[in-house]
Amino acid sequence: MSSHVWTVAGYLAVVLLLAAIEVAGRRGRGRWITLAEAMRRATRHRAAQIGLVLAWWWVGWHFFGG
Amino acid sequence: MARERRTTSGRFFDPTVPILLITLLVHVVRQDVVDIAVFAGVVALIAVDHARPVPVVDVRWPAVPWWGVAACCVTIGAVGVLPIGSTPVRIMLVAIGLLAAVAVLTAPRGAPGAGPDVAARWWAWPAVLVLLALIELVSFLLQPDPQTGSYANPTLSTLLDPVLAEPAARLVALTLWSASGWWLLRTIRRPGDRR
C-alpha cells in the first residue's frame, strides 16, 4: 500500500479508537471515561483550562481562518 | 457576587506548558508568524496568570438571551458562507478568541468538580491524542516544505481543507466547533466543588 493509504488508515484508526473509548465510557465498562469526563478532569488545572481553550480556538483559526 | 478570597493555587508546570512549548516549536518550523505569536503569548499568559492572585468569585454562566443565540447563528452563518481566510472571517475568529480568553481568564481559580476520583482509565484519551499528534508530525516532517502539503503523507489540513471548501461541510464543522467551545467554556466557568 502507498504511504497515502497508510497515513489515512492511521487517522481512521485514531477516530475509531476515540469512538471506542467514548462508547466504553458511556457503557461504564472497565472504568473507561467519556470525553466529557476526561475534559472535566483535565480542567481541574488552571493552565489546562487556558491550554484547552487555546487548542479549541486554534482549530477554528487554522481551518476557517486559513 | 465576589468573595474576596484570593488564591495562587494551580501548578504552572503541569503538562500544558510543555505541550504548548512543543507545539510552539512546530509552529516555528512551519514559519507561521501568527501561530508563533499566539502560542508564545498564551505560554506567557499562563505564567502571568499563575503568578497573580485572583479573587475567587461565584460565577454563573449567564442565561443566553434570544439575541445572543441569534448573534451566534449569524456569526456561524457568516463564517460559513464567507471564503476561508477572508478578512471578515479572520476578524470574527479573533473576536471569538478574545471573548473566549476573557471567559477563561475571569473564571474562578480551580476547576469544576469532576465527579468521583476513581482510578479511571483517563489516560486513554491523551494517549490516543498523542498518537494522532505523532501521525500528524511525521506527515508534516515528510512534506516537501513546511508550507506545501503532500499527497503521499497528508496532514489533517491537507485532507480536510478540500472538504471544508464546501460551504455545507464548513457550516457543519463550524456548528460542531462552536458547540464544543461553548461546552468547554461553560464547563470551565461552572460553579461547583472546586479544588
Side-chain angles (χ1 to χ4, degrees):
Chain A
M1 286 198 293
S2 69
S3 60
H4 175 86
V5 174
W6 277 112
T7 307
V8 172
Y11 290 129
L12 288 176
V14 166
V15 171
L16 290 175
L17 276 172
L18 293 174
I21 297 169
E22 178 70 18
V23 169
R26 286 179 181 273
R27 291 184 177 178
R29 288 184 178 171
R31 292 191 298 186
W32 298 100
I33 59 174
T34 64
L35 177 61
E37 290 165 339
M39 295 290 273
R40 288 193 193 97
R41 187 182 182 101
T43 54
R44 285 174 172 171
H45 306 294
R46 179 70 168 170
Q49 293 177 352
I50 298 173
L52 284 170
V53 170
L54 168 67
W56 163 78
W57 178 82
W58 184 82
V59 166
W61 173 258
H62 184 69
F63 285 107
F64 307 124
Chain B
M1 299 301 290
R3 287 179 294 168
E4 288 301 322
R5 182 161 66 90
R6 299 173 82 82
T7 175
T8 56
S9 66
R11 295 171 299 167
F12 179 64
F13 282 103
D14 70 11
T16 304
V17 172
I19 290 170
L20 290 180
L21 290 175
I22 292 170
T23 312
L24 175 62
L25 183 63
V26 174
H27 290 319
V28 170
V29 174
R30 290 178 60 225
Q31 301 169 8
D32 191 313
V33 177
V34 174
D35 288 347
I36 292 170
V38 168
F39 276 73
V42 169
V43 170
L45 187 66
I46 290 174
V48 170
D49 182 74
H50 177 74
R52 75 183 173 119
V54 179
V56 176
V57 294
D58 288 333
V59 178
R60 300 196 187 286
W61 191 249
V64 182
W66 66 267
W67 52 266
V69 176
C72 288
C73 292
V74 168
T75 303
I76 292 171
V79 175
V81 171
L82 292 169
I84 287 178
S86 62
T87 301
V89 169
R90 288 188 160 206
I91 290 172
M92 279 189 271
L93 288 170
V94 168
I96 290 169
L98 291 174
L99 286 173
V102 170
V104 70
L105 290 174
T106 57
R109 190 60 70 99
D117 191 13
V118 295
R121 293 171 177 164
W122 59 270
W123 47 263
W125 289 99
V128 178
L129 292 177
V130 166
L131 175 63
L132 174 64
L134 287 175
I135 297 173
E136 177 83 356
L137 179 62
V138 169
S139 300
F140 172 71
L141 293 175
L142 291 175
Q143 287 184 168
D145 67 71
Q147 273 79 40
T148 306
S150 160
Y151 175 81
N153 301 287
T155 60
L156 279 176
S157 298
T158 306
L159 290 173
L160 292 179
D161 283 348
V163 177
L164 294 175
E166 296 295 327
R170 197 155 67 243
L171 271 176
V172 171
L174 267 167
T175 304
L176 292 174
W177 178 74
S178 305
S180 59
W182 181 262
W183 181 89
L184 177 62
L185 290 172
R186 195 179 63 176
T187 299
I188 288 172
R189 293 180 63 96
R190 189 183 66 177
D193 48 336
R194 295 169 187 280
R195 295 185 168 195

